[in-house]
Amino acid sequence: MGTLCPRGHSSEGTLAMPDPDSAAVARRNAAANGLARSTNPDELVAQIERTRESLAQTIDELADRVSPLNNIRRLRERALQEAERPEVQLVIAAAGLLVVGYVVFRAFRRNR
């Protein structure tokens, strides 16, 4: 196997991957993710706690979005809001009259 050259390439021209557990990779990832470059343990602990809280909130929001009961509740609320609109009430009334008219028509036709 070839030796490593500058910029992470081996002497054979292939890209050498750094050890994902190395401290340099951890620092680079932390910097890329906007984490503090400080080595103050109290600051790091506070930042970790903020990250945990943010992650917990995101997970709760995702769980709420995919919950079948919550989706049914949201659909019902949306349907009730739509039913309050005048144009929707007019369509519902017209459909109701159409059904009643058809039932009356069938009843008269059956009696003949």
Side-chain angles (χ1 to χ4, degrees), residues 86-102:
E87 58 270 15
V88 173
Q89 290 177 348
L90 183 62
V91 170
I92 292 171
L97 283 173
L98 184 64
V99 170
V100 169
Y102 180 74

Side-chain angles (χ1 to χ4, degrees), residues 1-4 10-12 14-16:
M1 190 160 201
T3 60
L4 286 180
S10 72
S11 61
E12 297 170 351
T14 59
L15 185 63

